[in-house]
Amino acid sequence: MGSGASSPFKADLLSDTLTRPSGAMREAMARADVGDDVFGEDPTLRALEERVAGLLGHEAGLFTPSGSMANQLGVRLHVKPGEELIGDSLAHVVRAELGAAAVLSGISSRTWVSERGRFRAGDAAFLMITGVGPYQVCTSLVVVENTHNFGGGTVQSLDEIRRARRVTRERGVAMHLDGARLFNASVAAGVPVSDYGREFDTVSICLSKGLGAPVGSVLVGSADAMAESRVWRKRFGGGMRQAGILAAAGLFALEHNVERLADDHARARRAAEAIAEAAPGAVDLATVETNIVILDVAAAGWTSAAFVDAALAGGVRTYAVGPGAVRLVWHLDVDDAGTDVAIDVLTALVRSGPAA
Ligand SMILES: Cc1ncc(COP(=O)(O)O)c(C=O)c1O
């Protein structure tokens, strides 16, 4: 059975959030045993929360409608109003959640600048402020993103994370992992998600990115922390009723769509290699670690806006992430044939440059 309405594009590389649930996933959703989760009575949701918590080496889980809500519940848990979180300047939590930590929780954020989102314990240790009483804002949380989205799918080093964990433990600072694409990191690095997960007080993962479910994220942490987050989830308007229908898609995704992330990574690399061969300056192959490729279209004479339009005219949808940079994202709904089309269209554009 297919995945519903077909895409109007020959290859849609805009985002890995675009995937439509497969026929088999829809069947699993239709069969789900459900109850009212605000009363804690949805068995499929319970099963998903327990499964994700177990996978990540934590006591308990909490299903949320979005990755942003899972992150903001994690932030809220560790940081009091008037305190701060610190993270990478390109982190989703600070750059793409529309100021939620400030607006919803009265929390300020400070950031370090990194190379492509690569996490270094030293950056966090340098920025962290603790033990200065009433004189400066107190750092309560370090946020790490793995893989790093705006960094271009960067996989974080477990050693650096462990180094940061030692410092934060000494200084009484919590750590939250934005693991929207943690399974991509795990598959690429050959590191079990639990190895990453155990180093953090809380972890959010997204089911609706590379894993191919239509909706949902899970926050994990201690049982007490998740009980508190359940209250805040309701306050934020995220208490759901028969959400087991969504959880069934998540369970299906965890069962069927994790190992195949390696296919997305291989297709991204194949396309990057072809583009690099056509125009060596257009992509740095060392930066292609998972399912995301960042093109330096300026090196081929393009503005990103003109490049995106030209690619679209060839049936390939891409995303401008800067004046001269374009992002390509591989996912469940871009197969080998779609990758071939993308390679044909994009290599022709980087070779020719814009029309005079
Ligand atoms: C790294 C990262 N974290 C969190 C999110 C938020 O997920 P959602 O769109 O479900 O709120 C995203 C979304 O793209 C993301 O890329």
Side-chain angles (χ1 to χ4, degrees):
M1 209 193 286
S3 59
S6 66
S7 168
F9 307 102
K10 291 178 190 156
D12 198 343
L13 305 176
L14 185 73
S15 171
D16 51 9
T17 57
L18 299 169
T19 55
R20 284 173 294 266
S22 66
M25 182 181 276
R26 286 169 196 250
E27 277 172 19
M29 294 170 78
R31 278 196 308 269
D33 193 3
V34 297
D36 187 331
D37 182 54
V38 172
F39 292 104
E41 289 178 358
D42 191 302
T44 311
L45 207 56
R46 281 297 81 71
L48 173 69
E49 290 171 342
E50 277 168 25
R51 175 133 172 71
V52 177
L55 278 173
L56 292 171
H58 281 262
E59 255 176 14
L62 185 72
F63 184 74
T64 62
S66 70
S68 300
M69 187 183 281
N71 281 337
Q72 292 303 323
L73 288 172
V75 165
R76 169 104 225 169
L77 196 61
H78 304 300
V79 193
K80 293 196 196 78
E83 297 176 350
E84 69 176 7
L85 66 84
I86 59 173
D88 187 279
S89 62
L90 297 179
H92 196 278
V93 166
V94 293
R95 193 192 186 204
E97 294 177 12
L98 309 187
V103 174
L104 303 178
S105 303
I107 290 165
S108 57
S109 306
R110 273 188 313 128
T111 56
W112 61 77
V113 174
S114 69
E115 196 203 332
R116 299 194 305 106
R118 175 93 56 218
F119 177 68
R120 306 252 177 247
D123 290 335
F126 181 74
L127 213 57
M128 213 178 278
I129 297 176
T130 53
V132 290
Y135 304 109
Q136 286 182 41
V137 176
C138 170
T139 307
S140 305
L141 179 69
V142 174
V143 176
V144 179
E145 187 173 312
N146 194 18
T147 66
H148 199 294
N149 176 1
F150 295 117
T154 310
V155 178
Q156 307 297 3
S157 145
L158 190 54
D159 284 348
E160 286 295 323
I161 290 168
R162 286 184 172 148
R163 231 167 261 147
R165 186 57 164 172
R166 284 195 287 277
V167 178
T168 54
R169 259 210 196 102
E170 273 166 24
R171 298 182 62 177
V173 172
M175 286 180 61
H176 171 76
L177 174 61
D178 177 352
R181 294 180 183 77
L182 186 62
F183 289 92
N184 292 85
S186 164
V187 165
V191 171
V193 284
S194 56
D195 283 14
Y196 290 116
R198 282 198 195 95
E199 301 301 327
F200 292 86
D201 298 281
T202 46
V203 183
S204 64
I205 61 120
C206 285
L207 301 159
S208 60
K209 310 267 175 333
L211 297 184
V215 178
S217 287
V218 181
L219 178 71
V220 303
S222 69
D224 285 350
M226 291 307 100
E228 190 179 338
S229 293
R230 178 172 284 275
V231 172
W232 279 102
R233 184 187 65 176
K234 183 76 162 65
R235 280 198 185 110
F236 284 166
M240 291 164 283
R241 304 297 176 174
Q242 287 73 28
I245 285 185
L246 304 175
L251 284 165
F252 182 94
L254 289 170
E255 198 62 44
H256 297 93
N257 294 344
V258 173
E259 265 142 43
R260 65 148 308 282
L261 290 170
D263 299 342
D264 298 339
H265 300 174
R267 288 178 181 129
R269 174 143 286 271
R270 181 160 74 84
E273 284 173 355
I275 293 166
E277 202 182 315
V283 57
D284 176 356
L285 291 176
T287 67
V288 183
E289 299 184 36
T290 51
N291 63 326
I292 301 178
V293 177
I294 306 284
L295 299 184
D296 179 357
V297 295
W302 292 89
T303 63
S304 54
F307 187 91
V308 166
D309 285 349
L312 206 52
V316 179
R317 188 154 67 144
T318 61
Y319 184 58
V321 286
V326 168
R327 189 184 72 177
L328 318 173
V329 186
W330 266 263
H331 52 78
L332 201 55
D333 290 354
V334 182
D335 58 10
D336 281 332
T339 303
D340 289 340
V341 173
I343 289 173
D344 286 348
V345 170
L346 301 178
T347 53
L349 293 179
V350 294
R351 231 185 245 119
S352 69

